[in-house]
Amino acid sequence: MSINIVADSGCDLPYSFLQKHYISFLPLIVHLNGTDYEDFVTIDPKQVYEAMRKGEIVKTSQANALKMKELFTELAKDGRPAIYIAFSSQLSGTYQTAMMVREEVLEQYPDFSLTIIDSKCASLGLGLVVAKASELAQQGMPYEQLCDTIASYCQHMEHIFTVDDLEFLARGGRISKASALVGGLLNIKPLLHVEDGKLVPLEKLRGRKKVYKRMLELMAERGDDLQKQVIGISHGDDEEAALELKRQIEETFGCTRFFISPIGGAIGAHAGPGTLALFFLNQHIEA
């Protein structure tokens, strides 16, 4: 590619996919049992979920600033322009760190073109954007046009998801502990989405069947040209639920292109096992 695409593990794309498509990678950090692991690289999502089911505490932190500087420096030496599509700044400090590291690298390599985009997306919502950016870069889309197109994809990416246990979101400060307690006592299955990069509760439902039904309704209300899209589904070690949602989407909308993957350790540590997430565009984008 004439343009380097950079992603972090907040995109929940399999490491093998990133390698196959020559996407540079910045892993977020997963802390488990006193050891730091690189998300998707030195720890598998399944290990994280197994630990959480045992009651072990899993913590996370942003991508390592030193490794980030090493990567940006390598890209600067390579000479090709680069675009880093970052995990939402509302959910991680990685974007802010990247902006500071960028300035340091540009002092040494002032002619290097490096655009850092705050995607305000998460999981496969970000992953679909990264995959599209890689595809367009391989097709030779000019740099400025590619930056604008990526920004548009980020702006119009819908995130609809549910979690099995609100306690995990509460531990990470993503929702209030009071909300988590009420949800757990009543066996409520919450639906959430992302607004301006933040997790926002939509509504509360009882039972997985009602959750599926409401996800499809929201998809119908918000989606645009769904049959032409790649639909993203990510899951917290619950592939069966992801495949069932896929089946219902196929039957309801006639969609034929899907990207299904596990939620990585960095996001899974906050969302928990049993999370199910759906991603699609709310506006058709010509690219």
Side-chain angles (χ1 to χ4, degrees), residues 59-85:
K59 297 183 178 181
T60 64
S61 60
Q62 60 183 276
N64 181 283
L66 180 59
K67 288 199 171 184
M68 189 181 290
K69 186 171 183 178
E70 289 174 356
L71 174 60
F72 289 174
T73 301
E74 288 175 11
L75 295 175
K77 290 178 179 177
D78 178 60
R80 289 177 293 169
I83 304 171
Y84 169 30
I85 312 166

PDB file of all heavy atoms in Angstrom, residues 59-85:
ATOM      1  N   LYS A  59      -7.576  -5.969  34.664  1.00  0.00           N
ATOM      2  CA  LYS A  59      -7.504  -4.529  34.435  1.00  0.00           C
ATOM      3  C   LYS A  59      -6.837  -4.255  33.092  1.00  0.00           C
ATOM      4  O   LYS A  59      -6.196  -5.133  32.515  1.00  0.00           O
ATOM      5  CB  LYS A  59      -6.747  -3.834  35.567  1.00  0.00           C
ATOM      6  CG  LYS A  59      -7.437  -3.960  36.926  1.00  0.00           C
ATOM      7  CD  LYS A  59      -6.697  -3.186  38.005  1.00  0.00           C
ATOM      8  CE  LYS A  59      -7.421  -3.283  39.345  1.00  0.00           C
ATOM      9  NZ  LYS A  59      -6.714  -2.510  40.399  1.00  0.00           N
ATOM     10  N   THR A  60      -6.992  -3.047  32.622  1.00  0.00           N
ATOM     11  CA  THR A  60      -6.419  -2.689  31.324  1.00  0.00           C
ATOM     12  C   THR A  60      -5.760  -1.318  31.386  1.00  0.00           C
ATOM     13  O   THR A  60      -6.028  -0.528  32.292  1.00  0.00           O
ATOM     14  CB  THR A  60      -7.500  -2.659  30.225  1.00  0.00           C
ATOM     15  OG1 THR A  60      -8.441  -1.612  30.524  1.00  0.00           O
ATOM     16  CG2 THR A  60      -8.252  -3.981  30.149  1.00  0.00           C
ATOM     17  N   SER A  61      -4.910  -1.063  30.423  1.00  0.00           N
ATOM     18  CA  SER A  61      -4.336   0.277  30.273  1.00  0.00           C
ATOM     19  C   SER A  61      -4.095   0.540  28.796  1.00  0.00           C
ATOM     20  O   SER A  61      -4.150  -0.367  27.965  1.00  0.00           O
ATOM     21  CB  SER A  61      -3.037   0.425  31.078  1.00  0.00           C
ATOM     22  OG  SER A  61      -2.064  -0.501  30.647  1.00  0.00           O
ATOM     23  N   GLN A  62      -3.843   1.791  28.487  1.00  0.00           N
ATOM     24  CA  GLN A  62      -3.685   2.208  27.093  1.00  0.00           C
ATOM     25  C   GLN A  62      -2.421   1.619  26.474  1.00  0.00           C
ATOM     26  O   GLN A  62      -1.592   1.025  27.166  1.00  0.00           O
ATOM     27  CB  GLN A  62      -3.648   3.723  27.012  1.00  0.00           C
ATOM     28  CG  GLN A  62      -2.506   4.348  27.794  1.00  0.00           C
ATOM     29  CD  GLN A  62      -2.536   5.852  27.745  1.00  0.00           C
ATOM     30  OE1 GLN A  62      -2.034   6.455  26.806  1.00  0.00           O
ATOM     31  NE2 GLN A  62      -3.122   6.482  28.755  1.00  0.00           N
ATOM     32  N   ALA A  63      -2.302   1.782  25.182  1.00  0.00           N
ATOM     33  CA  ALA A  63      -1.129   1.285  24.465  1.00  0.00           C
ATOM     34  C   ALA A  63       0.141   1.933  25.028  1.00  0.00           C
ATOM     35  O   ALA A  63       0.135   3.088  25.470  1.00  0.00           O
ATOM     36  CB  ALA A  63      -1.263   1.586  22.976  1.00  0.00           C
ATOM     37  N   ASN A  64       1.226   1.171  25.027  1.00  0.00           N
ATOM     38  CA  ASN A  64       2.507   1.624  25.559  1.00  0.00           C
ATOM     39  C   ASN A  64       3.072   2.775  24.725  1.00  0.00           C
ATOM     40  O   ASN A  64       3.252   2.642  23.507  1.00  0.00           O
ATOM     41  CB  ASN A  64       3.478   0.437  25.574  1.00  0.00           C
ATOM     42  CG  ASN A  64       4.830   0.785  26.140  1.00  0.00           C
ATOM     43  OD1 ASN A  64       5.642   1.412  25.477  1.00  0.00           O
ATOM     44  ND2 ASN A  64       5.068   0.379  27.377  1.00  0.00           N
ATOM     45  N   ALA A  65       3.361   3.899  25.377  1.00  0.00           N
ATOM     46  CA  ALA A  65       3.825   5.099  24.660  1.00  0.00           C
ATOM     47  C   ALA A  65       5.174   4.879  23.985  1.00  0.00           C
ATOM     48  O   ALA A  65       5.417   5.388  22.884  1.00  0.00           O
ATOM     49  CB  ALA A  65       3.892   6.285  25.621  1.00  0.00           C
ATOM     50  N   LEU A  66       6.072   4.117  24.625  1.00  0.00           N
ATOM     51  CA  LEU A  66       7.387   3.873  24.040  1.00  0.00           C
ATOM     52  C   LEU A  66       7.257   3.047  22.760  1.00  0.00           C
ATOM     53  O   LEU A  66       7.876   3.366  21.740  1.00  0.00           O
ATOM     54  CB  LEU A  66       8.280   3.149  25.047  1.00  0.00           C
ATOM     55  CG  LEU A  66       9.695   2.824  24.578  1.00  0.00           C
ATOM     56  CD1 LEU A  66      10.435   4.102  24.198  1.00  0.00           C
ATOM     57  CD2 LEU A  66      10.458   2.065  25.674  1.00  0.00           C
ATOM     58  N   LYS A  67       6.429   2.000  22.809  1.00  0.00           N
ATOM     59  CA  LYS A  67       6.233   1.178  21.614  1.00  0.00           C
ATOM     60  C   LYS A  67       5.532   1.977  20.521  1.00  0.00           C
ATOM     61  O   LYS A  67       5.789   1.778  19.328  1.00  0.00           O
ATOM     62  CB  LYS A  67       5.430  -0.080  21.968  1.00  0.00           C
ATOM     63  CG  LYS A  67       6.231  -1.078  22.783  1.00  0.00           C
ATOM     64  CD  LYS A  67       5.632  -2.460  22.728  1.00  0.00           C
ATOM     65  CE  LYS A  67       6.572  -3.468  23.359  1.00  0.00           C
ATOM     66  NZ  LYS A  67       6.066  -4.859  23.239  1.00  0.00           N
ATOM     67  N   MET A  68       4.659   2.875  20.942  1.00  0.00           N
ATOM     68  CA  MET A  68       3.985   3.735  19.977  1.00  0.00           C
ATOM     69  C   MET A  68       5.003   4.623  19.259  1.00  0.00           C
ATOM     70  O   MET A  68       4.950   4.772  18.026  1.00  0.00           O
ATOM     71  CB  MET A  68       2.940   4.592  20.706  1.00  0.00           C
ATOM     72  CG  MET A  68       2.016   5.371  19.815  1.00  0.00           C
ATOM     73  SD  MET A  68       0.858   6.374  20.790  1.00  0.00           S
ATOM     74  CE  MET A  68      -0.192   5.123  21.518  1.00  0.00           C
ATOM     75  N   LYS A  69       5.933   5.183  20.020  1.00  0.00           N
ATOM     76  CA  LYS A  69       6.949   6.048  19.416  1.00  0.00           C
ATOM     77  C   LYS A  69       7.842   5.238  18.480  1.00  0.00           C
ATOM     78  O   LYS A  69       8.228   5.715  17.399  1.00  0.00           O
ATOM     79  CB  LYS A  69       7.783   6.735  20.495  1.00  0.00           C
ATOM     80  CG  LYS A  69       8.754   7.763  19.919  1.00  0.00           C
ATOM     81  CD  LYS A  69       9.415   8.598  21.004  1.00  0.00           C
ATOM     82  CE  LYS A  69      10.311   9.666  20.379  1.00  0.00           C
ATOM     83  NZ  LYS A  69      10.944  10.522  21.411  1.00  0.00           N
ATOM     84  N   GLU A  70       8.171   4.018  18.884  1.00  0.00           N
ATOM     85  CA  GLU A  70       8.992   3.157  18.022  1.00  0.00           C
ATOM     86  C   GLU A  70       8.286   2.885  16.697  1.00  0.00           C
ATOM     87  O   GLU A  70       8.893   2.944  15.625  1.00  0.00           O
ATOM     88  CB  GLU A  70       9.292   1.837  18.743  1.00  0.00           C
ATOM     89  CG  GLU A  70      10.267   1.975  19.897  1.00  0.00           C
ATOM     90  CD  GLU A  70      10.428   0.683  20.675  1.00  0.00           C
ATOM     91  OE1 GLU A  70       9.707  -0.301  20.353  1.00  0.00           O
ATOM     92  OE2 GLU A  70      11.257   0.641  21.605  1.00  0.00           O
ATOM     93  N   LEU A  71       6.974   2.595  16.770  1.00  0.00           N
ATOM     94  CA  LEU A  71       6.215   2.317  15.555  1.00  0.00           C
ATOM     95  C   LEU A  71       6.128   3.548  14.667  1.00  0.00           C
ATOM     96  O   LEU A  71       6.388   3.480  13.452  1.00  0.00           O
ATOM     97  CB  LEU A  71       4.814   1.828  15.908  1.00  0.00           C
ATOM     98  CG  LEU A  71       3.854   1.644  14.713  1.00  0.00           C
ATOM     99  CD1 LEU A  71       4.402   0.631  13.722  1.00  0.00           C
ATOM    100  CD2 LEU A  71       2.462   1.242  15.184  1.00  0.00           C
ATOM    101  N   PHE A  72       5.785   4.694  15.241  1.00  0.00           N
ATOM    102  CA  PHE A  72       5.665   5.918  14.445  1.00  0.00           C
ATOM    103  C   PHE A  72       7.005   6.289  13.809  1.00  0.00           C
ATOM    104  O   PHE A  72       7.048   6.779  12.675  1.00  0.00           O
ATOM    105  CB  PHE A  72       5.154   7.070  15.310  1.00  0.00           C
ATOM    106  CG  PHE A  72       3.706   6.960  15.727  1.00  0.00           C
ATOM    107  CD1 PHE A  72       3.155   7.879  16.618  1.00  0.00           C
ATOM    108  CD2 PHE A  72       2.890   5.953  15.238  1.00  0.00           C
ATOM    109  CE1 PHE A  72       1.816   7.796  17.002  1.00  0.00           C
ATOM    110  CE2 PHE A  72       1.559   5.853  15.615  1.00  0.00           C
ATOM    111  CZ  PHE A  72       1.030   6.776  16.501  1.00  0.00           C
ATOM    112  N   THR A  73       8.090   6.054  14.531  1.00  0.00           N
ATOM    113  CA  THR A  73       9.413   6.348  13.995  1.00  0.00           C
ATOM    114  C   THR A  73       9.736   5.429  12.822  1.00  0.00           C
ATOM    115  O   THR A  73      10.278   5.872  11.794  1.00  0.00           O
ATOM    116  CB  THR A  73      10.482   6.201  15.092  1.00  0.00           C
ATOM    117  OG1 THR A  73      10.183   7.104  16.168  1.00  0.00           O
ATOM    118  CG2 THR A  73      11.874   6.520  14.548  1.00  0.00           C
ATOM    119  N   GLU A  74       9.414   4.145  12.961  1.00  0.00           N
ATOM    120  CA  GLU A  74       9.607   3.198  11.857  1.00  0.00           C
ATOM    121  C   GLU A  74       8.817   3.635  10.629  1.00  0.00           C
ATOM    122  O   GLU A  74       9.314   3.579   9.496  1.00  0.00           O
ATOM    123  CB  GLU A  74       9.163   1.798  12.283  1.00  0.00           C
ATOM    124  CG  GLU A  74      10.088   1.113  13.269  1.00  0.00           C
ATOM    125  CD  GLU A  74       9.530  -0.217  13.736  1.00  0.00           C
ATOM    126  OE1 GLU A  74       8.539  -0.700  13.132  1.00  0.00           O
ATOM    127  OE2 GLU A  74      10.069  -0.773  14.704  1.00  0.00           O
ATOM    128  N   LEU A  75       7.579   4.064  10.842  1.00  0.00           N
ATOM    129  CA  LEU A  75       6.744   4.500   9.727  1.00  0.00           C
ATOM    130  C   LEU A  75       7.317   5.761   9.088  1.00  0.00           C
ATOM    131  O   LEU A  75       7.278   5.919   7.858  1.00  0.00           O
ATOM    132  CB  LEU A  75       5.307   4.755  10.214  1.00  0.00           C
ATOM    133  CG  LEU A  75       4.542   3.528  10.716  1.00  0.00           C
ATOM    134  CD1 LEU A  75       3.191   3.942  11.290  1.00  0.00           C
ATOM    135  CD2 LEU A  75       4.354   2.498   9.614  1.00  0.00           C
ATOM    136  N   ALA A  76       7.848   6.662   9.901  1.00  0.00           N
ATOM    137  CA  ALA A  76       8.455   7.892   9.366  1.00  0.00           C
ATOM    138  C   ALA A  76       9.665   7.553   8.493  1.00  0.00           C
ATOM    139  O   ALA A  76       9.855   8.124   7.416  1.00  0.00           O
ATOM    140  CB  ALA A  76       8.849   8.812  10.518  1.00  0.00           C
ATOM    141  N   LYS A  77      10.469   6.601   8.955  1.00  0.00           N
ATOM    142  CA  LYS A  77      11.642   6.186   8.182  1.00  0.00           C
ATOM    143  C   LYS A  77      11.233   5.501   6.880  1.00  0.00           C
ATOM    144  O   LYS A  77      11.932   5.605   5.865  1.00  0.00           O
ATOM    145  CB  LYS A  77      12.507   5.243   9.016  1.00  0.00           C
ATOM    146  CG  LYS A  77      13.229   5.913  10.177  1.00  0.00           C
ATOM    147  CD  LYS A  77      14.019   4.890  10.982  1.00  0.00           C
ATOM    148  CE  LYS A  77      14.767   5.545  12.142  1.00  0.00           C
ATOM    149  NZ  LYS A  77      15.482   4.537  12.965  1.00  0.00           N
ATOM    150  N   ASP A  78      10.095   4.816   6.913  1.00  0.00           N
ATOM    151  CA  ASP A  78       9.585   4.127   5.724  1.00  0.00           C
ATOM    152  C   ASP A  78       9.246   5.124   4.619  1.00  0.00           C
ATOM    153  O   ASP A  78       9.344   4.815   3.437  1.00  0.00           O
ATOM    154  CB  ASP A  78       8.353   3.304   6.114  1.00  0.00           C
ATOM    155  CG  ASP A  78       7.728   2.586   4.938  1.00  0.00           C
ATOM    156  OD1 ASP A  78       8.403   1.761   4.316  1.00  0.00           O
ATOM    157  OD2 ASP A  78       6.541   2.871   4.631  1.00  0.00           O
ATOM    158  N   GLY A  79       8.806   6.330   5.038  1.00  0.00           N
ATOM    159  CA  GLY A  79       8.582   7.393   4.058  1.00  0.00           C
ATOM    160  C   GLY A  79       7.171   7.512   3.523  1.00  0.00           C
ATOM    161  O   GLY A  79       6.815   8.535   2.938  1.00  0.00           O
ATOM    162  N   ARG A  80       6.352   6.480   3.721  1.00  0.00           N
ATOM    163  CA  ARG A  80       4.975   6.566   3.243  1.00  0.00           C
ATOM    164  C   ARG A  80       4.104   7.274   4.284  1.00  0.00           C
ATOM    165  O   ARG A  80       4.336   7.133   5.490  1.00  0.00           O
ATOM    166  CB  ARG A  80       4.408   5.163   2.990  1.00  0.00           C
ATOM    167  CG  ARG A  80       4.995   4.465   1.773  1.00  0.00           C
ATOM    168  CD  ARG A  80       4.433   3.052   1.652  1.00  0.00           C
ATOM    169  NE  ARG A  80       4.872   2.201   2.747  1.00  0.00           N
ATOM    170  CZ  ARG A  80       4.348   0.989   3.000  1.00  0.00           C
ATOM    171  NH1 ARG A  80       3.366   0.526   2.258  1.00  0.00           N
ATOM    172  NH2 ARG A  80       4.814   0.268   4.009  1.00  0.00           N
ATOM    173  N   PRO A  81       3.074   8.022   3.855  1.00  0.00           N
ATOM    174  CA  PRO A  81       2.164   8.634   4.826  1.00  0.00           C
ATOM    175  C   PRO A  81       1.414   7.564   5.610  1.00  0.00           C
ATOM    176  O   PRO A  81       1.257   6.428   5.140  1.00  0.00           O
ATOM    177  CB  PRO A  81       1.220   9.470   3.956  1.00  0.00           C
ATOM    178  CG  PRO A  81       1.284   8.852   2.613  1.00  0.00           C
ATOM    179  CD  PRO A  81       2.671   8.313   2.466  1.00  0.00           C
ATOM    180  N   ALA A  82       0.958   7.917   6.793  1.00  0.00           N
ATOM    181  CA  ALA A  82       0.283   6.952   7.658  1.00  0.00           C
ATOM    182  C   ALA A  82      -0.973   7.558   8.268  1.00  0.00           C
ATOM    183  O   ALA A  82      -1.063   8.782   8.470  1.00  0.00           O
ATOM    184  CB  ALA A  82       1.221   6.469   8.760  1.00  0.00           C
ATOM    185  N   ILE A  83      -1.933   6.688   8.555  1.00  0.00           N
ATOM    186  CA  ILE A  83      -3.169   7.086   9.225  1.00  0.00           C
ATOM    187  C   ILE A  83      -3.408   6.123  10.375  1.00  0.00           C
ATOM    188  O   ILE A  83      -3.505   4.909  10.169  1.00  0.00           O
ATOM    189  CB  ILE A  83      -4.379   7.048   8.268  1.00  0.00           C
ATOM    190  CG1 ILE A  83      -4.147   7.915   7.039  1.00  0.00           C
ATOM    191  CG2 ILE A  83      -5.640   7.505   8.999  1.00  0.00           C
ATOM    192  CD1 ILE A  83      -5.215   7.749   5.951  1.00  0.00           C
ATOM    193  N   TYR A  84      -3.466   6.666  11.582  1.00  0.00           N
ATOM    194  CA  TYR A  84      -3.778   5.848  12.754  1.00  0.00           C
ATOM    195  C   TYR A  84      -5.230   6.120  13.142  1.00  0.00           C
ATOM    196  O   TYR A  84      -5.601   7.236  13.484  1.00  0.00           O
ATOM    197  CB  TYR A  84      -2.829   6.177  13.906  1.00  0.00           C
ATOM    198  CG  TYR A  84      -3.210   5.579  15.239  1.00  0.00           C
ATOM    199  CD1 TYR A  84      -3.893   4.365  15.338  1.00  0.00           C
ATOM    200  CD2 TYR A  84      -2.867   6.214  16.429  1.00  0.00           C
ATOM    201  CE1 TYR A  84      -4.236   3.825  16.566  1.00  0.00           C
ATOM    202  CE2 TYR A  84      -3.190   5.684  17.666  1.00  0.00           C
ATOM    203  CZ  TYR A  84      -3.877   4.484  17.725  1.00  0.00           C
ATOM    204  OH  TYR A  84      -4.216   3.960  18.949  1.00  0.00           O
ATOM    205  N   ILE A  85      -6.047   5.065  13.076  1.00  0.00           N
ATOM    206  CA  ILE A  85      -7.471   5.170  13.429  1.00  0.00           C
ATOM    207  C   ILE A  85      -7.611   4.648  14.856  1.00  0.00           C
ATOM    208  O   ILE A  85      -7.584   3.443  15.107  1.00  0.00           O
ATOM    209  CB  ILE A  85      -8.340   4.353  12.448  1.00  0.00           C
ATOM    210  CG1 ILE A  85      -7.947   4.662  11.003  1.00  0.00           C
ATOM    211  CG2 ILE A  85      -9.817   4.666  12.664  1.00  0.00           C
ATOM    212  CD1 ILE A  85      -8.499   3.676   9.993  1.00  0.00           C
TER     213      ILE A  85
END
